[in-house]
């Protein structure tokens, strides 16, 4: 089958699948507690894609060229029986990699089952080592030790581990050096510029710490490393001892030109950009009996018409309502 390219000649290679809109934290840059409080109406179970539906849609995306699948949320480990879904996805012959993004709170209990099901890698979100700073950022005063225990359990289970830190000026930018010194001999650490994802995180350029400044704050002598593949979102650097740090610079150095990602919400809505204001419902035709050929035709139409490049247009973009990150992951 010919390569499926969008209107800017970008292939479809990566699919992020949200399995729930719920989370057991209230991080200020994603699900602030004042918005996502006790009375917030999360999706009822009947509106979530079933595992069978997710597998069917994943096969359609694989047919279009997707080779990497990543499970997200909300917090994906809150979805009951998640190892069953991982086994289904890992069993699709053309899939080269199944990964998961998590806050790590449930990893200590679930890591062995996830690995046995076919999960290969986890990315754990951790924004500070200081428990006061971390507790303030996660919105519920959860202790950092719980996340560190989950990270260790994942490594012990044989999962590859990366750590993601969202950097906000005046909030956790004093944590950068401590995080680097703690993880540099353990796992790959990636620093992410604070982005205007969703509608409730109070984003402004004043809160962005440019990746170049982050690298300078780490100290040491870093050398840029070549990308592992086209479309890799993190710029990779290694120090004199070969220890790697990644910088994700969506604000100061947008990488829209190589973006090969699609996102599927827990309700089955296809989004072609992290900053999208709308998407395409795949659940409705699926539940109405559409087969894989019909679903592929719909996907093909959407992807061939894709022109998204929000991060490149951010300064000139008209303010708009965007999909919440808790619906489509990071």
């Amino acid at each position: 089958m010919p390569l499926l390219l969008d209107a800017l000649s970008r292939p479809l290679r990566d699919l992020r699948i949200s399995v729930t809109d719920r989370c057991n934290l209230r991080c200020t840059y994603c699900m602030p507690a004042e918005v996502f409080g006790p009375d917030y109406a999360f999706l009822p179970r009947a509106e979530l894609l079933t595992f069978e539906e997710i597998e069917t849609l994943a096969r359609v995306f694989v047919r279009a060229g997707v080779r990497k699948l990543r499970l997200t949320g909300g917090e994906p480990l809150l979805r009951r029986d998640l190892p069953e879904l991982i086994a289904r996805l890992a069993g699709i012959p053309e899939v080269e990699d199944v990964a998961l993004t998590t806050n790590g709170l449930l990893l200590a209990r679930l890591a062995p089952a996830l690995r046995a099901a076919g999960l290969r890698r986890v990315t754990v979100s951790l924004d500070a080592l200081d428990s006061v700073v971390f507790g303030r950022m996660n919105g519920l005063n959860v202790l950092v030790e719980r996340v560190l225990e989950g990270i260790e359990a994942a490594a012990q289970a044989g999962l590859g581990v990366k750590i993601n830190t969202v950097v906000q000026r005046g909030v956790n930018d004093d944590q950068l050096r401590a995080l680097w010194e703690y993880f540099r001999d353990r796992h790959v650490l990636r620093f992410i510029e604070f982005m205007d994802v969703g509608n409730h995180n109070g984003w402004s350029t004043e809160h962005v710490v440019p990746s170049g400044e982050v690298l300078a704050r780490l100290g040491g002598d870093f050398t840029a490393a070549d990308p592992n593949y086209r479309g890799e979102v993190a710029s990779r650097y290694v120090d004199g001892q070969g220890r790697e740090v990644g910088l994700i610079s969506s604000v100061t150095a947008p990488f829209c030109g190589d973006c090969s990602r699609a996102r599927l919400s827990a309700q089955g809505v296809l989004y072609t950009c992290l900053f999208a204001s709308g998407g395409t419902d795949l659940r409705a035709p699926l539940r109405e009996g559409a087969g894989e050929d019909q679903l592929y035709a719909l996907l093909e139409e959407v992807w061939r018409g894709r022109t998204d490049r929000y991060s490149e247009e951010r300064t000139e973009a008209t303010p708009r309502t965007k999909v919440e990150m808790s619906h489509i992951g990071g």
Side-chain angles (χ1 to χ4, degrees):
M1 184 168 294
L3 189 64
L4 182 58
L5 301 177
D6 72 6
L8 301 178
S9 298
R10 297 170 296 189
L12 176 55
R13 292 298 188 198
D14 305 272
L15 176 63
R16 294 195 159 211
I17 304 170
S18 175
V19 296
T20 180
D21 64 330
R22 298 172 185 267
C23 189
N24 45 5
L25 292 180
R26 289 295 179 269
C27 295
T28 53
Y29 57 81
C30 180
M31 296 179 67
E34 61 270 21
V35 176
F36 297 87
D39 298 326
Y40 185 82
F42 290 100
L43 295 172
R45 187 172 182 83
E47 291 199 23
L48 301 179
L49 291 174
T50 66
F51 288 173
E52 292 82 0
E53 290 170 336
I54 292 173
E55 181 184 0
T56 296
L57 291 175
R59 290 182 181 277
V60 172
F61 278 89
V62 165
R63 179 176 168 182
V66 164
R67 293 297 177 264
K68 294 183 178 182
L69 303 175
R70 176 174 291 273
L71 301 183
T72 68
E75 170 47 51
L77 296 185
L78 290 176
R79 183 72 185 259
R80 185 181 303 172
D81 299 323
L82 192 65
E84 177 189 335
L85 175 61
I86 290 170
R88 286 174 174 268
L89 299 178
I92 300 174
E94 297 89 345
V95 170
E96 297 171 359
D97 186 28
V98 180
L100 179 144
T101 297
T102 175
N103 60 33
L105 296 185
L106 299 176
L107 266 180
R109 175 165 57 88
L110 294 174
L114 296 171
R115 182 67 184 92
L119 189 70
R120 296 182 59 183
R121 301 181 294 119
V122 292
T123 299
V124 181
S125 300
L126 180 61
D127 298 319
L129 284 178
D130 181 278
S131 281
V132 174
V133 177
F134 180 64
R136 186 165 59 241
M137 291 189 73
N138 68 52
L140 297 177
N141 293 313
V142 173
L143 297 178
V144 70
E145 285 76 14
R146 289 185 59 189
V147 181
L148 296 178
E149 289 171 4
I151 291 170
E152 178 62 23
Q156 289 293 324
L159 291 167
V161 179
K162 289 183 179 178
I163 312 300
N164 274 1
T165 297
V166 174
V167 183
Q168 295 177 258
R169 191 179 300 281
V171 178
N172 68 329
D173 56 325
D174 62 345
Q175 297 289 300
L176 307 183
R177 185 69 177 266
L179 284 159
W180 167 242
E181 292 179 350
Y182 184 87
F183 286 113
R184 64 189 178 187
D185 293 313
R186 293 177 169 91
H187 308 293
V188 173
L189 176 63
R190 304 193 299 185
F191 293 105
I192 304 173
E193 291 178 345
F194 180 39
M195 294 181 288
D196 50 331
V197 181
N199 309 287
H200 304 292
N201 66 4
W203 183 87
S204 77
T205 55
E206 296 177 356
H207 297 148
V208 177
V209 181
S211 290
E213 181 181 336
V214 170
L215 195 64
R217 289 205 199 185
L218 301 185
D221 186 18
F222 288 90
T223 303
D226 292 331
N228 287 317
Y229 53 89
R230 182 189 173 188
E232 186 175 23
V233 299
S235 298
R236 299 165 50 244
Y237 293 83
V238 293
D239 68 2
Q241 299 182 50
R243 298 173 299 198
E244 180 183 322
V245 65
L247 303 173
I248 299 177
S249 314
S250 175
V251 178
T252 64
F255 37 82
C256 300
D258 284 331
C259 180
S260 59
R261 293 182 176 183
R263 291 171 167 85
L264 186 65
S265 79
Q267 288 177 290
V269 177
L270 164 63
Y271 294 94
T272 56
C273 180
L274 177 61
F275 305 96
S277 56
T280 302
D281 184 6
L282 300 182
R283 186 190 66 186
L286 178 60
R287 291 187 176 178
E288 290 167 2
E292 291 189 13
D293 287 347
Q294 294 168 286
L295 293 166
Y296 178 84
L298 178 56
L299 171 59
E300 181 181 31
E301 179 183 5
V302 171
W303 192 261
R304 290 198 185 281
R306 177 188 187 233
T307 59
D308 303 284
R309 55 186 191 95
Y310 175 85
S311 288
E312 293 178 348
E313 300 172 324
R314 180 179 276 109
T315 57
E316 59 192 63
T318 302
R320 66 188 187 191
T321 299
K322 292 168 285 189
V323 62
E324 295 296 342
M325 188 160 65
S326 57
H327 279 259
I328 57 172

